[in-house]
Amino acid sequence: MERQRQSLKNQKKFLKARQQVLTGRRQEYVDREEMAFDGDGMQDGEGMMYAGQGMQAGAGKQSFPGMLKSEWINFWNFVEGSLKMKLILLLCALLLIGTVTKTISDKVLYRQMDIVDAFAASEAGYVESKLQITADYGTAFLTEHDKQALISYLAGSLGVRIDGEIEYRETDAGQIYSYTKNAKQAATTLKAITLREDTSRTYLYVELSIYQDDAYDVLNYRDIILETLEEMGVTQAETTLQLLGAYDGKLAMSEWNRLADGMIKKLSGKIVYENRDEDLYTIYAYSGLLAEYITVEKKRINMQVAVRYEEDTNRTVVYLASPIIRGEW
């Protein structure tokens, strides 16, 4: 019995020593392999030498950096020997550069613009501007007095004095409180609208027309109205800006095209739809430099140019609106 115990102890010592030897060899193999990939690559003889020593599966696994470097070298060797692959990589690089360049130009180099920037280049002899803003005031219940107070507050922000009654009327669509003030150079209309289908929600509407707006004061009034609405707690407002320019006499069709194309180009716009007949001359376009847009048949539109000749006044009228002209033109 004592002899068997001694024999088991000897076997354990031998197995432990053998395990240490194998562990040492395994670590030596990994170290040598990493050194080989960090240098000029492993020599074929080294791999065969370690394979011949009967290493266990998994003992000679390649490190991740080594694998990555090996794959890169193999890929680059393949590219070096393939003209087609070189052309594909060159095309991908050009596409990437183009995409990055466009993104930078859209976000950094270009500033957000108004249609005024384009319309000013038309050098129209007469300019009339029109601003329309519709805002969702929310679902708070409002009395008749509340709606009249909202109209008075908006009028005060524009410097419009209410010297008459705020009108009330009912339509099939809902209830409308409104006030209109006409002056020599401008006209202002303010409304508070409650739809019949949702009596708890009120919409505010502001329309401002300036008849001789050579200085484009409409932009200042737009900012005033939007700031006032924000103070009133309005978070959503739709804005339409429309400019009208008039030229004496009947301009040639080539001049119509020059004016329209020039304004669209000024805003880097792309034409979505166009009809260039004298009886109906209108162009819809989209520009990334303008903030608001509408979607028509899955296409974005935020510019409309229209031209017409008025026989009774013997003048050519040019319209530029964003996003589109609302009302008759």
Side-chain angles (χ1 to χ4, degrees):
M1 180 67 69
E2 185 64 28
R3 184 178 300 176
Q4 290 178 348
R5 290 178 180 175
Q6 187 64 35
S7 176
L8 288 174
K9 288 182 180 180
N10 292 338
Q11 289 180 12
K12 288 181 179 179
K13 289 181 180 180
F14 175 77
L15 290 174
K16 186 175 182 180
R18 182 59 179 168
Q19 185 178 16
Q20 291 176 350
V21 171
L22 291 175
T23 301
R25 288 182 178 178
R26 188 179 298 119
Q27 185 61 45
E28 181 183 359
Y29 171 73
V30 173
D31 293 341
R32 289 174 64 97
E33 185 179 23
E34 290 181 352
M35 290 177 62
F37 279 109
D38 290 338
D40 297 330
M42 178 182 289
Q43 300 296 323
D44 293 339
E46 292 177 342
M48 294 298 294
M49 177 183 66
Y50 285 100
Q53 292 178 353
M55 297 298 294
Q56 299 295 326
K61 285 186 178 179
Q62 187 174 317
S63 63
F64 180 74
M67 291 175 60
L68 195 60
K69 185 173 182 180
S70 178
E71 291 298 327
W72 173 253
I73 292 173
N74 291 336
F75 171 73
W76 195 249
N77 289 336
F78 172 71
V79 172
E80 284 291 327
S82 174
L83 177 60
K84 182 178 179 180
M85 183 58 67
K86 289 181 181 179
L87 293 176
I88 292 175
L89 289 178
L90 178 61
L91 180 60
C92 292
L94 292 175
L95 290 174
L96 179 61
I97 293 173
T99 302
V100 173
T101 302
K102 186 179 186 303
T103 301
I104 293 175
S105 64
D106 288 346
K107 301 297 184 181
V108 179
L109 300 181
Y110 286 140
R111 63 185 178 88
Q112 191 176 93
M113 301 174 69
D114 281 299
I115 61 174
V116 167
D117 296 271
F119 195 81
S122 68
E123 299 180 350
Y126 172 84
V127 177
E128 179 181 319
S129 61
K130 186 175 184 179
L131 175 68
Q132 297 167 294
I133 296 178
T134 304
D136 184 350
Y137 189 68
T139 57
F141 176 77
L142 299 178
T143 64
E144 177 181 349
H145 177 74
D146 293 333
K147 296 173 184 178
Q148 292 178 342
L150 289 175
I151 292 177
S152 298
Y153 188 76
L154 285 171
S157 68
L158 293 172
V160 175
R161 179 181 176 182
I162 295 182
D163 49 13
E165 292 185 0
I166 296 177
E167 298 181 357
Y168 170 77
R169 61 190 177 93
E170 290 192 18
T171 67
D172 294 337
Q175 301 174 340
I176 303 175
Y177 291 84
S178 64
Y179 178 77
T180 299
K181 181 69 172 286
N182 292 312
K184 184 177 181 180
Q185 295 293 331
T188 305
T189 298
L190 305 170
K191 297 180 181 180
I193 305 169
T194 301
L195 300 180
R196 192 174 300 277
E197 61 186 20
D198 187 1
T199 57
S200 64
R201 186 175 296 274
T202 300
Y203 294 90
L204 301 176
Y205 175 79
V206 180
E207 181 177 308
L208 174 64
S209 297
I210 305 178
Y211 302 128
Q212 186 65 48
D213 195 11
D214 298 332
Y216 301 104
D217 292 328
V218 68
L219 294 181
N220 295 327
Y221 285 109
R222 178 196 62 185
D223 294 341
I224 290 172
I225 295 171
L226 292 178
E227 289 175 4
T228 302
L229 290 173
E230 186 176 354
E231 292 172 359
M232 296 167 65
V234 172
T235 58
Q236 183 178 358
E238 296 179 358
T239 303
T240 298
L241 183 59
Q242 176 180 310
L243 301 174
L244 176 153
Y247 303 83
D248 293 333
K250 184 177 182 180
L251 300 182
M253 183 63 66
S254 60
E255 191 67 10
W256 292 23
N257 291 329
R258 185 189 69 82
L259 289 170
D261 293 337
M263 289 187 288
I264 294 173
K265 183 179 179 181
K266 182 72 174 180
L267 292 171
S268 300
K270 293 184 178 180
I271 295 176
V272 177
Y273 168 82
E274 60 183 338
N275 187 86
R276 299 189 184 232
D277 295 333
E278 185 176 336
D279 294 335
L280 180 61
Y281 189 101
T282 184
I283 303 172
Y284 297 91
Y286 175 76
S287 169
L289 305 183
L290 300 175
E292 296 190 31
Y293 65 87
I294 62 173
T295 302
V296 179
E297 296 181 352
K298 298 182 179 180
K299 295 181 179 180
R300 293 181 178 183
I301 294 175
N302 59 8
M303 291 177 63
Q304 182 181 357
V305 180
V307 186
R308 63 184 173 87
Y309 172 67
E310 297 179 345
E311 290 188 9
D312 54 341
T313 58
N314 188 29
R315 67 175 188 171
T316 301
V317 179
V318 178
Y319 294 86
L320 176 61
S322 178
I324 61 172
I325 300 172
R326 298 188 185 276
E328 297 181 357
W329 51 272

